[in-house]
Amino acid sequence: MTVNLPDLATFVIIENKINNISSLNLEKIQPIIQNSGFAFHVPADGKIVTAFKAIPPTQTFWKTISVFVMFNALEERLSIQIRNGKKIL
């Protein structure tokens, strides 16, 4: 039996890293917030971010995580699991 699996790379999008968020103005931060999936800035629903403030000092930190992408071919369902050691995030 041959199973044609989808290209899982199309489900995972890694955006460019922003080194210094405090250097962004409101017009640049609004689309980032809107595209993040959080419901903070949704102009169609009347939710509009009108100001923001990065409280110094901003920090960038790296943490090793594991990303598991599983495709159930029988149910045609994709599952994504992110772990830090044994802890599911």
Side-chain angles (χ1 to χ4, degrees), residues 30-73:
Q30 285 175 327
I32 294 169
I33 295 170
Q34 189 171 5
N35 294 331
S36 71
F38 296 112
F40 298 134
H41 183 74
V42 186
D45 294 344
K47 297 178 181 180
I48 300 173
V49 172
T50 59
F52 81 101
K53 180 179 179 182
I55 300 172
T58 57
Q59 295 178 339
T60 302
F61 62 93
W62 292 93
K63 186 180 241 186
T64 301
I65 60 170
S66 300
V67 178
F68 296 94
V69 180
M70 298 156 277
F71 183 74
N72 184 330

Side-chain angles (χ1 to χ4, degrees), residues 9-56:
T10 60
F11 295 104
V12 179
I13 300 170
I14 300 174
E15 297 292 328
N16 293 332
K17 185 181 116 190
I18 300 170
N19 288 325
N20 189 359
I21 197 164
S22 60
S23 68
L24 298 177
N25 61 24
L26 182 62
E27 291 75 29
K28 289 187 179 182
I29 200 78
Q30 285 175 327
I32 294 169
I33 295 170
Q34 189 171 5
N35 294 331
S36 71
F38 296 112
F40 298 134
H41 183 74
V42 186
D45 294 344
K47 297 178 181 180
I48 300 173
V49 172
T50 59
F52 81 101
K53 180 179 179 182
I55 300 172

